[in-house]
């Protein structure tokens, strides 16, 4: 539904219920420029422009990292994690300048894309953004897809990598969200019912390197657990439920738990939570 918020909550709810009665499995999705909570309860999903605006705020340096992390927590508190997960995160579409136009610097663009793929919700990639297609306002942002001219590029490889990362890590698709206290970074953790799913994200929106000790307040993560940054490949151990990490300007770190076979730091999870192999048998 285009400009769904102009229809109103009551009528939207009626439309959604009618669609479900008429066809089992039908999905009602609406474009919403307003604050997403409550609109997510009226439809099956919303195209959340609000989340996209927040991402640009972080990427352009007008929204401090800690404020961004807390803003997502407020959204969840004002609705629920289930409703926020129903948000399609929009950073580019036919009504706004394209991602490559708004953020011409490749590193800034990739930084914004990391946020889009790790925040709670569903990343929506506007056709051509994965190729770096440019375009300001209408009609330039509605230019046709350059079929036949697609070629492997750094932006396309980065998009494919994030898609693969999201497919592999269940917490990025359906996980809970909790912001982590920091001075400069945007830091948060995505968790599920399985400790092995945990993902820790640290993003630096500033113009200088930031090194911080970040507390990870999750009792299920045992001492000296090994984590690997999925972007750089660096490995770090959790020490006393903390990670001390340096993050370069306009870059992010995405840490996931390493399955250490034969290492006491990894095998201790067998005694506490069951054998690692059992996790794979539990389907999302």
């Amino acid at each position: 539904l285009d400009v769904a918020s102009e229809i109103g909550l009551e009528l939207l709810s009626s439309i959604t219920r009618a669609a479900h009665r008429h066809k089992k499995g039908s999905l009602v999705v609406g474009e919403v420029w307003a604050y997403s909570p409550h609109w997510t309860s009226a439809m099956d999903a919303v195209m959340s422009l609000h989340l996209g605006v927040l991402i640009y705020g972080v990427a352009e340096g007008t929204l401090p990292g800690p404020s961004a992390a807390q803003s997502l927590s407020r959204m969840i508190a004002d609705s629920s994690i289930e409703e926020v997960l129903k948000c399609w995160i929009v950073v580019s579409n036919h009504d706004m300048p394209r991602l490559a136009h708004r953020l011409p610097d490749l590193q800034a663009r990739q930084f914004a894309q990391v946020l889009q793929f790790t925040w709670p919700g569903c990343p929506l990639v506007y056709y051509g953004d994965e190729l770096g297609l440019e375009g300001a306002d209408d009609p330039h942002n509605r230019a046709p897809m350059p079929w036949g001219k697609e070629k492997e590029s750094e932006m396309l490889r980065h998009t494919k990598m994030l898609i693969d990362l999201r497919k592999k890590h269940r917490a990025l698709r359906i996980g809970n969200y909790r912001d982590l206290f920091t001075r400069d970074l945007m830091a948060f953790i995505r968790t599920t019912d399985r400790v092995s799913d945990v993902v820790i994200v640290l993003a630096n929106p500033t113009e200088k390197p930031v090194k911080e000790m970040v507390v990870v307040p999750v009792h299920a993560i045992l001492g000296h657990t090994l984590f690997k940054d999925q972007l750089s490949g660096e490995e770090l151990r959790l020490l006393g439920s903390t990670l001390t990490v340096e993050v370069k300007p306009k870059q992010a770190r995405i840490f996931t738990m390493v399955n250490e076979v034969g290492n006491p730091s990894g095998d201790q999870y067998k005694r506490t939570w069951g054998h690692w192999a059992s996790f794979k048998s539990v389907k999302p």
Side-chain angles (χ1 to χ4, degrees), residues 114-140:
V114 167
L115 300 180
Q116 186 187 27
F117 275 77
T118 58
W119 284 12
C122 179
L124 190 152
V125 178
Y126 188 43
Y127 74 91
D129 278 356
E130 73 280 12
L131 302 177
L133 192 63
E134 296 183 359
D137 293 319
D138 187 8
H140 306 289

Side-chain angles (χ1 to χ4, degrees), residues 190-265:
R190 303 291 306 278
T191 59
T192 71
D193 57 319
R194 302 191 303 226
V195 64
S196 61
D197 286 343
V198 66
V199 177
I200 303 170
V201 179
L202 308 174
N204 180 7
T206 75
E207 300 292 339
K208 60 182 181 180
V210 173
K211 185 175 183 179
E212 288 196 61
M213 175 184 286
V214 179
V215 176
V216 183
V218 180
H219 76 279
I221 303 177
L222 303 182
H224 304 288
T225 295
L226 185 64
F227 282 84
K228 181 177 181 178
D229 179 12
Q230 294 299 312
L231 300 182
S232 69
E234 182 183 3
E235 294 185 344
L236 293 173
R237 289 196 182 277
L238 205 72
L239 181 60
S241 296
T242 69
L243 274 180
T244 300
V245 183
E246 180 171 315
V247 189
K248 295 179 180 178
K250 303 297 181 184
Q251 290 192 21
R253 313 289 295 274
I254 305 174
F255 287 99
T256 60
M257 188 183 294
V258 176
N259 177 7
E260 294 186 274
V261 179
N263 186 317
S265 293

Side-chain angles (χ1 to χ4, degrees), residues 33-135:
W33 283 85
Y35 187 51
S36 301
H38 302 298
W39 298 103
T40 44
S41 63
M43 294 174 284
D44 297 303
V46 302
M47 297 173 66
S48 176
L49 285 303
H50 171 70
L51 285 172
V53 170
L54 294 186
I55 286 176
Y56 279 120
V58 178
E60 294 174 338
T62 56
L63 178 62
S67 297
Q70 293 163 21
S71 294
L72 294 186
S73 293
R74 173 62 64 87
M75 278 187 66
I76 294 170
D78 287 344
S79 53
S80 67
I81 184 61
E82 289 77 17
E83 288 196 18
V84 175
L85 289 172
K86 295 196 300 180
C87 291
W88 294 11
I89 306 174
V90 181
V91 296
S92 184
N93 71 3
H94 61 282
D95 288 326
M96 63 172 69
R98 281 186 169 274
L99 177 62
H101 182 85
R102 182 77 178 264
L103 297 174
D105 178 72
L106 178 61
Q107 183 172 311
R109 205 183 316 154
Q110 292 178 337
F111 178 68
Q113 203 177 39
V114 167
L115 300 180
Q116 186 187 27
F117 275 77
T118 58
W119 284 12
C122 179
L124 190 152
V125 178
Y126 188 43
Y127 74 91
D129 278 356
E130 73 280 12
L131 302 177
L133 192 63
E134 296 183 359

